């Protein structure tokens, strides 16, 4: 079983408090999602490999660390995952971006895939799957299964809010995936919404309701 990190950093807790508030408008919501994604990206890249490089400072020769040239990819689950991409790109700007489109059937709560476009060499990359909400876990589980079908071996999942049931289901389905969670909430309501949560992340990011 790989690592699950529940973020407890005060900046993340503060920013998640802002996006939970129903009074927060689209512009600030989107900005906060981007900033939270950046902070989670910082944490989830903690184990990237480094290599030694010789440089000369203005004073002396020295050995410095540099990222070992590992290829990375960011894969948002559409729509809401798109909100996390700019924050991720702030820290890993040369990562390629793939897209997996999924929506949850409102009756069955099962994910329906409607789009998949991935970098041609995705199987060679460390992949960061991003989606603000992990509710039943169905969307994340299916998106990661799709990436594995494309040959991906090193996959991490980052979300902002998770329900305990979704986190457990994702760990069970994909025990080889590191998971970074902004906040672990209480439960799911009868419509599959996270409680207390923040409502429908896609609608709040794109202002569609
Ligand atoms: C939301 C969210 C996740 C999914 C989580 O997407 O962004 O993808 O629900 O639920 P699950 O863990 O139960 O699968 P939604 O289906 O609302 O689509 P949208 O992002 O296009 O609004
Ligand atoms: N998707 C959302 O956007 N919000 C939830 O609470 C659950 C699923």
């Amino acid at each position: 079983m790989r690592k699950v990190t529940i973020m407890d950093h005060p900046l993340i807790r503060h920013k998640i408090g802002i996006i939970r508030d129903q009074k927060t408008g689209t512009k600030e919501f989107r900005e906060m999602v981007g900033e939270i994604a950046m902070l989670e990206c910082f944490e989830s890249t903690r184990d990237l490999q480094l290599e030694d490089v010789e440089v000369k400072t203005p004073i002396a020769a020295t050995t410095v660390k540099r990222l070992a040239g590992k290829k990375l990819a960011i894969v948002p689950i559409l729509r809401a995952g798109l909100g996390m991409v700019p924050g991720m790109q702030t820290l890993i700007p040369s990562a390629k971006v793939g897209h997996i489109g999924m929506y949850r059937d409102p009756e069955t709560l099962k994910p329906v895939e409607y789009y998949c476009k991935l970098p041609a060499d995705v199987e060679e990359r460390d992949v960061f799957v991003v989606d603000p909400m992990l509710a039943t876990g169905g969307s994340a589980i299916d998106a990661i299964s799709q990436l594995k079908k494309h040959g991906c071996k090193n996959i991490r999942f980052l979300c902002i809010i998770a329900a305990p049931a979704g986190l457990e289901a994702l760990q069970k389905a994909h025990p080889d995936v590191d998971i970074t969670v902004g906040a672990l909430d209480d439960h799911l309501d009868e419509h599959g919404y996270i409680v207390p949560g923040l409502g429908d992340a896609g609608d709040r990011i794109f202002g569609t309701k």
Side-chain angles (χ1 to χ4, degrees):
M1 186 77 74
R2 298 297 303 268
K3 198 169 47 138
V4 176
T5 305
I6 316 278
M7 303 291 297
D8 60 357
H9 194 288
L11 287 177
I12 292 199
R13 296 178 78 171
H14 175 81
K15 291 173 196 297
I16 289 179
I18 293 172
I19 61 175
R20 285 189 194 279
D21 188 340
Q22 62 177 352
K23 295 200 294 295
T24 299
T26 302
K27 177 174 180 288
E28 193 182 8
F29 190 93
R30 208 170 40 235
E31 286 166 359
M32 288 300 117
V33 165
E35 289 177 21
I36 294 163
M38 185 180 68
L39 294 167
E40 289 195 42
C41 181
F42 182 74
E43 177 60 34
S44 78
T45 47
R46 186 177 281 284
D47 62 350
L48 288 184
Q49 296 294 305
L50 295 170
E51 61 191 9
D52 287 345
V53 178
E54 306 302 318
V55 299
K56 280 188 187 149
T57 76
I59 310 298
T62 189
T63 307
V64 298
K65 299 288 181 194
R66 206 164 270 176
L67 287 172
K70 189 89 186 158
K71 293 173 166 185
L72 307 178
I74 304 163
V75 176
I77 302 177
L78 307 183
R79 288 175 301 168
L82 287 173
M84 296 177 73
V85 174
M88 300 289 295
Q89 287 175 313
T90 301
L91 295 192
I92 46 173
S94 53
K96 298 271 192 276
V97 182
H99 297 86
I100 296 182
M102 299 245 171
Y103 71 87
R104 266 196 340 175
D105 182 299
E107 300 300 323
T108 64
L109 300 184
K110 298 277 177 246
V112 181
E113 185 180 319
Y114 60 87
Y115 187 75
C116 182
K117 181 77 181 169
L118 300 170
D121 59 353
V122 73
E123 74 283 354
E124 294 168 23
R125 294 178 177 269
D126 281 8
V127 181
F128 296 75
V129 180
V130 296
D131 190 329
M133 309 305 276
L134 181 68
T136 65
S139 304
I141 290 169
D142 282 10
I144 292 168
S145 297
Q146 177 67 279
L147 287 163
K148 287 183 176 174
K149 276 189 213 148
H150 280 80
C152 299
K153 285 174 263 329
N154 295 310
I155 302 173
R156 299 156 212 236
F157 178 77
L158 288 77
C159 66
I160 295 182
I161 300 200
L167 183 57
E168 197 181 315
L170 178 56
Q171 281 184 283
K172 198 165 163 213
H174 296 296
D176 54 331
V177 170
D178 277 349
I179 304 170
T180 306
V181 176
L184 183 61
D185 272 15
D186 199 58
H187 65 279
L188 293 175
D189 72 10
E190 64 276 22
H191 306 293
Y193 276 87
I194 301 175
V195 182
L198 49 73
D200 186 303
D203 282 340
R204 296 200 63 192
I205 289 169
F206 295 107
T208 39
K209 217 172 236 173

